[in-house]
Amino acid sequence: MARDEINAFLGAGTNYQGKLHFQGAVRIDGNFRGEVVSDGTLVVGQEAVVEGLIRVGQLVLSGNIQGEVEAATKVVLHKTANLQGNIKTPVLVVEEGAVLEGQLDMGSLGSSAPIVSEEESD
């Protein structure tokens, strides 16, 4: 992603705490603690540390996240990524060297209704 496509940039050496809501794309290279909510793309740089709840359209991780991640379309873990927490996403891309400590939920492939055989219904 080109730097000119990013709507906001939270730079290295800075600390943020609270809720972040945005449209488009945001890149974090500093420290962030709190909640991130967006339909857009969150880019977490290699030196970044993010703690909290993340609900975004797409996550591109090169740094560190501790917390819950929900991505509507995709999560990309680059080789320097370190994620400690659970991920819920339909698509996961992991480069060799990335670290994931937690559970992965990619959704169910079938319907959520229980399956009843003909023998059970008699």
Side-chain angles (χ1 to χ4, degrees):
M1 178 174 289
R3 193 168 278 233
D4 59 348
E5 296 176 21
I6 294 178
N7 296 343
F9 181 75
L10 309 178
T14 54
N15 295 303
Y16 301 91
Q17 186 169 344
K19 291 184 178 181
L20 174 62
H21 297 267
F22 65 89
Q23 293 181 341
V26 167
R27 181 178 174 108
I28 297 176
D29 279 336
N31 298 321
F32 182 90
R33 181 180 210 155
E35 182 179 356
V36 179
V37 178
S38 176
D39 290 332
T41 300
L42 176 64
V43 179
V44 178
Q46 189 170 343
E47 301 300 318
V49 176
V50 177
E51 295 179 37
L53 176 65
I54 298 166
R55 284 194 186 125
V56 292
Q58 179 174 320
L59 171 67
V60 179
L61 177 62
S62 296
N64 299 287
I65 290 181
Q66 290 182 330
E68 302 296 310
V69 173
E70 250 183 69
T73 59
K74 180 168 49 171
V75 171
V76 178
L77 302 179
H78 289 295
K79 64 182 177 183
T80 56
N82 186 331
L83 196 151
Q84 296 179 359
N86 300 328
I87 299 176
K88 183 173 184 178
T89 185
V91 178
L92 176 65
V93 178
V94 182
E95 288 183 357
E96 185 176 349
V99 176
L100 169 59
E101 294 181 26
Q103 294 184 351
L104 172 63
D105 181 358
M106 295 182 74
S108 61
L109 298 176
S111 67
S112 60
I115 298 172
V116 178
S117 69
E118 288 182 25
E119 294 173 331
E120 291 174 347
S121 62
D122 289 342

